[in-house]
mmCIF file of all heavy atoms in Angstrom:
data_model
loop_
_atom_site.group_PDB
_atom_site.id
_atom_site.type_symbol
_atom_site.label_atom_id
_atom_site.label_comp_id
_atom_site.label_asym_id
_atom_site.label_seq_id
_atom_site.Cartn_x
_atom_site.Cartn_y
_atom_site.Cartn_z
ATOM 1 N N GLY Y 352 2.951 5.053 -18.761
ATOM 2 C CA GLY Y 352 1.692 5.766 -18.593
ATOM 3 C C GLY Y 352 1.745 6.877 -17.564
ATOM 4 O O GLY Y 352 0.841 7.721 -17.518
ATOM 5 N N VAL Y 353 2.774 6.887 -16.722
ATOM 6 C CA VAL Y 353 2.907 7.976 -15.745
ATOM 7 C C VAL Y 353 3.665 9.132 -16.404
ATOM 8 O O VAL Y 353 4.770 8.931 -16.934
ATOM 9 C CB VAL Y 353 3.648 7.503 -14.482
ATOM 10 C CG1 VAL Y 353 3.921 8.677 -13.541
ATOM 11 C CG2 VAL Y 353 2.831 6.434 -13.768
ATOM 12 N N PRO Y 354 3.100 10.328 -16.373
ATOM 13 C CA PRO Y 354 3.762 11.465 -17.043
ATOM 14 C C PRO Y 354 5.143 11.744 -16.450
ATOM 15 O O PRO Y 354 5.375 11.540 -15.255
ATOM 16 C CB PRO Y 354 2.803 12.629 -16.765
ATOM 17 C CG PRO Y 354 1.507 12.005 -16.421
ATOM 18 C CD PRO Y 354 1.808 10.701 -15.770
ATOM 19 N N ASP Y 355 6.043 12.259 -17.297
ATOM 20 C CA ASP Y 355 7.398 12.550 -16.813
ATOM 21 C C ASP Y 355 7.431 13.814 -15.952
ATOM 22 O O ASP Y 355 8.513 14.234 -15.519
ATOM 23 C CB ASP Y 355 8.381 12.637 -17.975
ATOM 24 C CG ASP Y 355 8.036 13.706 -18.985
ATOM 25 O OD1 ASP Y 355 7.081 14.484 -18.727
ATOM 26 O OD2 ASP Y 355 8.697 13.772 -20.029
ATOM 27 N N ARG Y 356 6.267 14.397 -15.682
ATOM 28 C CA ARG Y 356 6.205 15.508 -14.720
ATOM 29 C C ARG Y 356 6.466 14.989 -13.297
ATOM 30 O O ARG Y 356 6.768 15.777 -12.398
ATOM 31 C CB ARG Y 356 4.823 16.167 -14.748
ATOM 32 C CG ARG Y 356 4.414 16.737 -16.083
ATOM 33 C CD ARG Y 356 3.107 17.504 -15.997
ATOM 34 N NE ARG Y 356 1.966 16.695 -15.592
ATOM 35 C CZ ARG Y 356 1.416 16.726 -14.371
ATOM 36 N NH1 ARG Y 356 1.910 17.523 -13.430
ATOM 37 N NH2 ARG Y 356 0.368 15.972 -14.099
ATOM 38 N N PHE Y 357 6.321 13.687 -13.127
ATOM 39 C CA PHE Y 357 6.570 13.067 -11.819
ATOM 40 C C PHE Y 357 7.973 12.453 -11.831
ATOM 41 O O PHE Y 357 8.303 11.659 -12.715
ATOM 42 C CB PHE Y 357 5.541 11.981 -11.526
ATOM 43 C CG PHE Y 357 4.132 12.502 -11.376
ATOM 44 C CD1 PHE Y 357 3.283 12.555 -12.469
ATOM 45 C CD2 PHE Y 357 3.672 12.951 -10.148
ATOM 46 C CE1 PHE Y 357 1.989 13.042 -12.338
ATOM 47 C CE2 PHE Y 357 2.383 13.432 -10.007
ATOM 48 C CZ PHE Y 357 1.541 13.486 -11.107
ATOM 49 N N SER Y 358 8.774 12.822 -10.842
ATOM 50 C CA SER Y 358 10.123 12.275 -10.758
ATOM 51 C C SER Y 358 10.484 11.997 -9.313
ATOM 52 O O SER Y 358 9.950 12.621 -8.387
ATOM 53 C CB SER Y 358 11.135 13.235 -11.387
ATOM 54 O OG SER Y 358 11.155 14.461 -10.696
ATOM 55 N N GLY Y 359 11.374 11.034 -9.123
ATOM 56 C CA GLY Y 359 11.783 10.656 -7.784
ATOM 57 C C GLY Y 359 13.282 10.656 -7.640
ATOM 58 O O GLY Y 359 14.028 10.484 -8.612
ATOM 59 N N SER Y 360 13.732 10.849 -6.398
ATOM 60 C CA SER Y 360 15.160 10.832 -6.103
ATOM 61 C C SER Y 360 15.352 10.422 -4.653
ATOM 62 O O SER Y 360 14.389 10.281 -3.892
ATOM 63 C CB SER Y 360 15.789 12.206 -6.353
ATOM 64 O OG SER Y 360 15.208 13.171 -5.489
ATOM 65 N N LYS Y 361 16.607 10.209 -4.282
ATOM 66 C CA LYS Y 361 16.913 9.835 -2.900
ATOM 67 C C LYS Y 361 18.287 10.348 -2.527
ATOM 68 O O LYS Y 361 19.217 10.316 -3.343
ATOM 69 C CB LYS Y 361 16.874 8.306 -2.749
ATOM 70 C CG LYS Y 361 16.916 7.827 -1.298
ATOM 71 C CD LYS Y 361 16.992 6.311 -1.214
ATOM 72 C CE LYS Y 361 18.411 5.819 -1.310
ATOM 73 N NZ LYS Y 361 18.556 4.399 -0.897
ATOM 74 N N SER Y 362 18.402 10.823 -1.289
ATOM 75 C CA SER Y 362 19.697 11.216 -0.747
ATOM 76 C C SER Y 362 19.738 10.766 0.705
ATOM 77 O O SER Y 362 18.935 11.224 1.532
ATOM 78 C CB SER Y 362 19.899 12.733 -0.837
ATOM 79 O OG SER Y 362 21.132 13.103 -0.244
ATOM 80 N N GLY Y 363 20.646 9.860 0.999
ATOM 81 C CA GLY Y 363 20.729 9.337 2.354
ATOM 82 C C GLY Y 363 19.433 8.658 2.775
ATOM 83 O O GLY Y 363 18.933 7.775 2.072
ATOM 84 N N ASN Y 364 18.888 9.078 3.894
ATOM 85 C CA ASN Y 364 17.664 8.465 4.417
ATOM 86 C C ASN Y 364 16.391 9.165 3.962
ATOM 87 O O ASN Y 364 15.306 8.864 4.479
ATOM 88 C CB ASN Y 364 17.709 8.462 5.950
ATOM 89 C CG ASN Y 364 18.844 7.623 6.514
ATOM 90 O OD1 ASN Y 364 19.345 6.717 5.847
ATOM 91 N ND2 ASN Y 364 19.261 7.926 7.731
ATOM 92 N N THR Y 365 16.511 10.093 3.025
ATOM 93 C CA THR Y 365 15.344 10.846 2.562
ATOM 94 C C THR Y 365 15.136 10.677 1.065
ATOM 95 O O THR Y 365 16.037 10.910 0.266
ATOM 96 C CB THR Y 365 15.498 12.346 2.888
ATOM 97 O OG1 THR Y 365 15.595 12.520 4.302
ATOM 98 C CG2 THR Y 365 14.298 13.130 2.381
ATOM 99 N N ALA Y 366 13.923 10.262 0.729
ATOM 100 C CA ALA Y 366 13.500 10.186 -0.672
ATOM 101 C C ALA Y 366 12.600 11.373 -0.966
ATOM 102 O O ALA Y 366 11.990 11.952 -0.057
ATOM 103 C CB ALA Y 366 12.761 8.881 -0.935
ATOM 104 N N SER Y 367 12.528 11.725 -2.239
ATOM 105 C CA SER Y 367 11.713 12.881 -2.628
ATOM 106 C C SER Y 367 10.937 12.594 -3.906
ATOM 107 O O SER Y 367 11.437 11.901 -4.799
ATOM 108 C CB SER Y 367 12.597 14.111 -2.853
ATOM 109 O OG SER Y 367 13.277 14.473 -1.676
ATOM 110 N N LEU Y 368 9.739 13.140 -3.949
ATOM 111 C CA LEU Y 368 8.913 13.113 -5.158
ATOM 112 C C LEU Y 368 8.738 14.554 -5.612
ATOM 113 O O LEU Y 368 8.330 15.412 -4.814
ATOM 114 C CB LEU Y 368 7.543 12.503 -4.861
ATOM 115 C CG LEU Y 368 6.505 12.594 -5.995
ATOM 116 C CD1 LEU Y 368 6.872 11.632 -7.119
ATOM 117 C CD2 LEU Y 368 5.097 12.298 -5.475
ATOM 118 N N THR Y 369 9.062 14.823 -6.862
ATOM 119 C CA THR Y 369 8.865 16.155 -7.422
ATOM 120 C C THR Y 369 7.773 16.092 -8.484
ATOM 121 O O THR Y 369 7.819 15.232 -9.372
ATOM 122 C CB THR Y 369 10.154 16.712 -8.027
ATOM 123 O OG1 THR Y 369 11.131 16.845 -6.984
ATOM 124 C CG2 THR Y 369 9.923 18.074 -8.661
ATOM 125 N N VAL Y 370 6.821 16.988 -8.354
ATOM 126 C CA VAL Y 370 5.768 17.130 -9.361
ATOM 127 C C VAL Y 370 6.003 18.456 -10.065
ATOM 128 O O VAL Y 370 5.927 19.516 -9.435
ATOM 129 C CB VAL Y 370 4.366 17.092 -8.726
ATOM 130 C CG1 VAL Y 370 3.293 17.101 -9.813
ATOM 131 C CG2 VAL Y 370 4.199 15.873 -7.823
ATOM 132 N N SER Y 371 6.332 18.392 -11.338
ATOM 133 C CA SER Y 371 6.602 19.604 -12.116
ATOM 134 C C SER Y 371 5.374 19.980 -12.931
ATOM 135 O O SER Y 371 4.535 19.129 -13.235
ATOM 136 C CB SER Y 371 7.786 19.363 -13.054
ATOM 137 O OG SER Y 371 8.909 18.895 -12.351
ATOM 138 N N GLY Y 372 5.282 21.262 -13.302
ATOM 139 C CA GLY Y 372 4.163 21.706 -14.122
ATOM 140 C C GLY Y 372 2.826 21.314 -13.502
ATOM 141 O O GLY Y 372 1.990 20.693 -14.139
ATOM 142 N N LEU Y 373 2.643 21.709 -12.245
ATOM 143 C CA LEU Y 373 1.445 21.309 -11.499
ATOM 144 C C LEU Y 373 0.165 21.543 -12.293
ATOM 145 O O LEU Y 373 -0.016 22.577 -12.942
ATOM 146 C CB LEU Y 373 1.360 22.091 -10.193
ATOM 147 C CG LEU Y 373 1.991 21.482 -8.942
ATOM 148 C CD1 LEU Y 373 1.863 22.457 -7.788
ATOM 149 C CD2 LEU Y 373 1.386 20.148 -8.608
ATOM 150 N N GLN Y 374 -0.716 20.534 -12.197
ATOM 151 C CA GLN Y 374 -2.021 20.633 -12.833
ATOM 152 C C GLN Y 374 -3.096 20.423 -11.774
ATOM 153 O O GLN Y 374 -2.846 19.830 -10.736
ATOM 154 C CB GLN Y 374 -2.154 19.592 -13.945
ATOM 155 C CG GLN Y 374 -1.134 19.726 -15.042
ATOM 156 C CD GLN Y 374 -1.268 18.656 -16.105
ATOM 157 O OE1 GLN Y 374 -2.116 17.772 -16.033
ATOM 158 N NE2 GLN Y 374 -0.424 18.743 -17.130
#
Side-chain angles (χ1 to χ4, degrees):
Chain Y
V353 174
D355 60 6
R356 301 186 298 104
F357 295 92
S358 62
S360 62
K361 191 185 86 166
S362 177
N364 297 337
T365 299
S367 298
L368 172 72
T369 297
V370 186
S371 306
L373 268 177
Q374 300 178 359

